[in-house]
Amino acid sequence: MRKLYFGLLAAVAVGLTHTSRGAAQNPIAAPAPPAALPEGAPPAAAQPPAIPTQPVSPGAFDALQGITGCAPAEPPAPPTPPPFGGPLLERQKFLGDWGGARERLRERGITFDIYSTNVLGDVANGGSRESLQQRGRIDYLMHVDGEKAGLWKGAFIDLHAEMAYGTAISGYTGALEPASIAQILPTPNGYVGALTGVKFTQALSERLITFVGKINTAEAFNQPFTGGALGIDGFLNGGLTIPAVLVRTIPYSTYGAGFAYLKGADPVFSFSIFDANNTPTRDGFDTFFDNGVVFVPQINVPTKFFGLPGHQGITGSYSTKRYGIIDRTAFINPILGLAAPTKSGSWALTYNFDQTLYAAPDNPKRSWGTFGNLGLADQNPSPFRWFANIGFGGSSPIASRKLDTFGVGYYYLGLNNALQNLAPRVLPFRDHEQGVELFYNCAVTRWCHITPDVQFVIPAQKRADALTVFGLRAKIDF
């Protein structure tokens, strides 16, 4: 208990100190908070708010997430965005309005967001080795409304830069799914800076949009009630944020292009093409589409079961790249010390859903509901044959805690025989991995959020015991 108690205190302190230092060292500025988007901008053009409320994004993989909020034919007048300034404990951002600069920039179509997320992880028992580790990240985002900025109507530009520091706890668990996906992106260890997203979007009509650029695909996967695939607002474990069968084929940060056909604010059909190379920490021009291409089609149908919003969808992926079954993927803990033959082509198919179960009568954006994914992939070179998860989450049911969120979820990961038989004496695997996670995201203020988290996992590696991981996440929105 003493170890965990001091760990909780340390996480808050480290979050504050690292954030200040990191922001000073990296001059890149960026983010566009959804609450502060200029009129006419797609509502999902930036990261989800620090405390997510009623989700507006589709429940499937959507590399178009940052651009799929095109307005309907006769949209209602948009609400006035909240001010950046105000009393310290009531403002949206810790640094406020920057002396009025933020508000003036927003009027000209440019919005910024900067937030720091620090995660303290403790393998309390089991796993490969008991350990207490801290790793943090700073995300910089910028959103430009082209029309307001003096370009042309329907044009949008989004940039995403990030820094990471410290050591991820996932290397001590013996699991393939990372205990904290926020800690392993863009890389799992060491101090690193990366420009992971530079996206240009053009709305061709009220129902058809296109995009091109360097795409941050984790930012794009924002399934309702999960908190998003970056692991900075909701679930920490990768098994509850993105279907594992997709991670063999889909890079974290890569060049791509695509389009989406919209119904209201939802992309009912989208198609994306990506470079198969993962290039988060370099420009990638030297390997531009030199090792295959990835195709990602998606069908996403909005629903109204029980009179409440939801989605039913199917996502597919196919890559022409040549893979080994243990090749590194950005979203899964690395498998080291083995060599494997390579094979061209890999595919995956997933079914996904989300469904609101409760919405507050006085504020429909305060809601909670359920989500799930069921996936299948090839037997080789994908290391995973089956994947499933299911969970509940959303706004806190405690009436007095309107900015808090919660989540509880379960995942199951079935391994392919090709991986189990690769080197059973050197690195023996079970035929599956499974885990449960619970978290409660507490809003200390609108710009500061503390999230205690606990996970119970049966890892894929046989040499690692069933484990308990305690986590504490501190996020500050600047």
Side-chain angles (χ1 to χ4, degrees):
M1 289 300 295
R2 181 190 305 177
K3 180 180 179 182
L4 181 59
Y5 174 75
F6 283 109
L8 300 182
L9 294 180
V12 179
V14 169
L16 293 171
T17 56
H18 269 293
T19 299
S20 300
R21 183 172 59 208
Q25 290 175 343
N26 195 320
I28 299 176
L37 285 180
E39 179 181 351
Q47 287 286 56
I51 292 294
T53 54
Q54 171 65 26
V56 296
S57 58
F61 179 83
D62 179 13
L64 305 167
Q65 173 60 33
I67 47 108
T68 54
C70 193
E74 296 182 1
T80 302
F84 291 110
L88 180 63
L89 299 182
E90 299 177 11
R91 63 181 57 169
Q92 301 288 324
K93 310 290 184 182
F94 175 59
L95 296 181
D97 197 15
W98 301 348
R102 259 184 166 168
E103 190 65 43
R104 291 192 295 271
L105 286 170
R106 180 163 63 182
E107 293 173 355
R108 290 166 173 78
I110 302 173
T111 52
F112 294 88
D113 196 11
I114 304 171
Y115 50 84
S116 168
T117 309
N118 284 267
V119 181
L120 186 76
D122 180 14
V123 179
N125 59 70
S128 299
R129 184 174 64 175
E130 294 183 11
S131 181
L132 179 69
Q133 299 292 335
Q134 182 273 336
R135 184 166 174 82
R137 56 184 292 122
I138 303 174
D139 291 83
Y140 306 83
L141 294 96
M142 180 175 71
H143 173 72
V144 179
D145 181 326
E147 184 178 12
K148 286 190 173 183
L151 300 177
W152 55 86
K153 187 175 182 178
F156 303 95
I157 303 172
D158 292 279
L159 280 74
H160 187 167
E162 52 193 279
M163 293 194 311
Y165 43 83
T167 302
I169 192 62
S170 297
Y172 299 88
T173 64
L176 294 178
E177 290 284 9
S180 174
I181 196 167
Q183 291 186 329
I184 71 166
L185 298 174
T187 59
N189 291 296
Y191 184 92
V192 63
L195 181 62
T196 57
V198 182
K199 180 170 56 182
F200 302 88
T201 303
Q202 180 63 53
L204 302 179
S205 70
E206 293 168 347
R207 292 194 174 185
L208 183 62
I209 53 178
T210 62
F211 78 96
V212 66
K214 190 174 186 180
I215 311 302
N216 183 314
T217 61
E219 180 184 49
F221 195 96
N222 188 21
Q223 188 170 18
F225 307 119
T226 67
L230 285 173
I232 60 176
D233 290 308
F235 289 99
L236 284 171
N237 193 293
L240 276 306
T241 61
I242 186 169
V245 291
L246 294 174
V247 303
R248 161 58 73 229
T249 55
I250 298 178
Y252 169 54
S253 174
T254 190
Y255 293 100
F259 70 90
Y261 179 78
L262 309 177
K263 181 180 179 180
D266 289 309
V268 294
F269 176 75
S270 63
F271 188 83
S272 307
I273 300 176
F274 299 114
D275 182 353
N277 295 303
N278 185 43
T279 56
T281 58
R282 56 190 180 87
D283 59 42
F285 292 133
D286 58 331
T287 58
F288 190 66
F289 284 96
D290 72 346
N291 197 11
V293 61
V294 184
F295 304 96
V296 183
Q298 175 191 346
I299 298 174
N300 183 65
V301 181
T303 61
K304 272 287 186 178
F305 296 130
F306 320 113
L308 295 168
H311 300 88
Q312 302 280 326
I314 296 176
T315 303
S317 70
Y318 177 75
S319 173
T320 64
K321 182 178 178 179
R322 193 168 189 85
Y323 298 94
I325 197 167
I326 59 170
D327 283 356
R328 175 82 172 96
T329 171
F331 300 101
I332 295 293
N333 289 333
I335 307 170
L336 302 177
L338 296 175
T342 60
K343 183 178 179 181
S344 294
S346 183
W347 61 266
L349 185 68
T350 65
Y351 158 75
N352 45 269
F353 77 91
D354 63 87
Q355 178 59 51
T356 301
L357 300 178
Y358 171 80
D362 60 334
N363 182 7
K365 291 185 177 182
R366 287 198 65 244
S367 65
W368 57 267
T370 183
F371 69 91
N373 295 270
L374 181 63
L376 173 69
D378 60 81
Q379 297 185 21
N380 188 3
S382 173
F384 314 126
R385 181 61 170 168
W386 303 96
F387 175 82
N389 69 12
I390 189 166
F392 298 86
S395 300
S396 172
I398 303 173
S400 60
R401 301 296 305 173
K402 295 184 177 182
L403 296 179
D404 294 357
T405 58
F406 78 99
V408 54
Y410 165 81
Y411 79 88
Y412 179 94
L413 180 61
L415 275 63
N416 268 319
N417 291 335
L419 177 60
Q420 298 177 63
N421 298 332
L422 182 62
R425 294 186 178 181
V426 177
L427 190 59
F429 285 100
R430 298 180 173 92
D431 63 359
H432 72 277
E433 175 176 303
Q434 58 184 324
V436 175
E437 179 179 2
L438 302 90
F439 76 87
Y440 189 88
N441 186 330
C442 179
V444 180
T445 67
R446 292 180 180 273
W447 46 263
C448 178
H449 312 275
I450 305 296
T451 306
D453 181 278
V454 61
Q455 302 176 35
F456 306 97
V457 179
I458 299 176
Q461 294 188 38
K462 287 185 177 180
R463 293 175 180 172
D465 298 326
L467 65 143
T468 302
V469 181
F470 292 104
L472 187 72
R473 178 178 58 210
K475 179 185 177 186
I476 298 175
D477 192 346
F478 288 87

